[in-house]
Amino acid sequence: MQENTRIASQFYASPRGRLAATHLRRHLSSFWPAAPEERMGGQVRGQMVQGQILGVGYAAPYLSLWDNDTTTCVSARLDTLVTRPAPAEGATGRECVVAEERFPFCELFFDRVVMIHALEVTDARNTLLRQVWKVMKDDARLLLVVPNRSGMWAHADTSPFGQGTPFSYRQVTRALATACLRVERHENALYFPPVGPTGGRRWSGMLERAGTRLLPYLGGVCVIEAVKDAYAPVGNATAPARVPTLRLRRADAFSRSATGIGTGTGTGENAPRHGGGRAMRS
């Protein structure tokens, strides 16, 4: 297992990893611009990021997009073989290793959360998403990157995107809905091949632009933005109907004690006997 694992820190130190980070950073910045002057066609591409940002999984190569005077970024690497190791020169005071079932952060603390190399490498997906939900503010946003099941990167184990379990868009949507998170926007990225010569930034950039237009569903990863779903249903089970208990009592007319009937033969055990009891008045 250890020999076949592609460690994220080693991947991003390689030429292909740096190239993948460059193109993926461009997609992430289109969701969350670091400054209001980042425009496209005269319009702001997204809401400017401010406040506290948490990176879950292995998000260190991407958090520098938003780390500035108005934003504080914290890197929380998951305790897995893929994401635990990190280069010594990259460690800072705002970096830690966390477990899926418990985050060392206050609830309702972060304005934004970035998850990459997280959901596919853990066996406790629901628990992890619930921990993320707890530390998000009510108006916070989540940016999730997962390997696309239909893309090439999920089927090549030469990168951390080929480790663990890939997802389709529908599968990710269901997993987020289970954790009371609603998808608002998504797109695919990484169209250049995960193996063979990279071709440089210019050639890979051409493949990225062509793939986005011609094969939008075959990107290597799926980038999804989600928010807390305040109106998510808590379950479909209905309360059981309470049926009143029907209690039956023996009628006095047929009771042995009421008629004073002793034991004996007759047409029925509780049948009334006119001869042995009180005289009936007409």
Side-chain angles (χ1 to χ4, degrees):
M1 180 67 181
Q2 182 70 40
E3 296 177 355
N4 297 329
T5 301
R6 295 297 180 267
I7 298 175
S9 60
Q10 296 178 354
F11 170 74
Y12 286 109
S14 66
R16 189 179 302 276
R18 290 192 293 267
L19 191 60
T22 298
H23 292 300
L24 195 50
R25 284 164 62 95
R26 180 173 58 85
H27 285 274
L28 297 182
S29 62
S30 68
F31 282 84
W32 295 350
E37 61 269 13
E38 293 188 17
R39 297 176 178 270
M40 179 179 293
Q43 296 181 352
V44 178
R45 290 184 291 175
Q47 185 180 2
M48 185 180 65
V49 176
Q50 292 181 341
Q52 311 287 336
I53 297 182
L54 174 65
V56 180
Y58 193 87
Y62 306 97
L63 291 179
S64 58
L65 283 170
W66 308 287
D67 198 359
N68 50 48
D69 296 336
T70 61
T71 305
T72 301
C73 298
V74 178
S75 176
R77 303 195 312 275
L78 287 183
D79 191 13
T80 68
L81 294 176
V82 177
T83 57
R84 185 190 310 116
E89 61 273 12
T92 64
R94 292 176 293 177
E95 191 171 19
C96 61
V97 178
V98 300
E100 298 95 331
E101 65 275 6
R102 181 180 292 273
F103 281 9
F105 309 111
C106 299
E107 296 184 3
L108 304 174
F109 183 76
F110 290 98
D111 300 277
R112 305 289 176 102
V113 178
V114 181
M115 293 182 65
I116 181 169
H117 305 304
L119 206 62
E120 69 272 17
V121 298
T122 179
D123 294 328
R125 300 184 185 93
N126 294 336
T127 303
L128 176 60
L129 288 175
R130 290 302 296 171
Q131 288 296 316
V132 170
W133 188 91
K134 288 181 179 180
V135 301
M136 291 173 61
K137 294 181 179 179
D138 290 337
D139 59 346
R141 291 183 172 270
L142 168 67
L143 199 56
L144 174 65
V145 180
V146 294
N148 181 16
R149 184 180 293 275
S150 302
M152 294 183 293
W153 286 78
H155 302 282
D157 59 356
T158 56
S159 77
F161 294 108
Q163 310 294 310
T165 304
F167 297 89
S168 65
Y169 171 71
R170 184 172 300 178
Q171 290 173 329
V172 177
T173 303
R174 287 199 299 263
L176 292 174
T178 303
C180 297
L181 294 165
R182 184 181 72 254
V183 175
E184 286 200 338
R185 180 185 172 191
H186 79 282
E187 66 181 31
N188 288 352
L190 296 188
Y191 289 89
F192 70 95
V195 294
T198 59
R201 180 176 300 182
R202 182 177 180 181
W203 174 249
S204 61
M206 293 174 58
L207 292 178
E208 286 291 306
R209 290 188 294 270
T212 303
R213 296 177 181 179
L214 302 178
L215 302 171
Y217 299 104
L218 297 181
V221 298
C222 187
V223 185
I224 299 174
E225 185 180 28
V227 296
K228 277 190 172 182
D229 193 353
Y231 303 100
V234 296
N236 297 325
T238 58
R242 298 187 61 182
V243 180
T245 304
L246 181 61
R247 297 181 179 180
L248 300 178
R249 294 188 305 172
R250 182 179 298 177
D252 292 342
F254 297 93
S255 175
R256 291 178 178 271
S257 60
T259 58
I261 301 174
T263 59
T265 60
T267 58
E269 179 181 354
N270 295 325
R273 300 187 181 185
H274 305 296
R278 184 179 302 176
M280 299 182 62
R281 298 180 181 178
S282 58

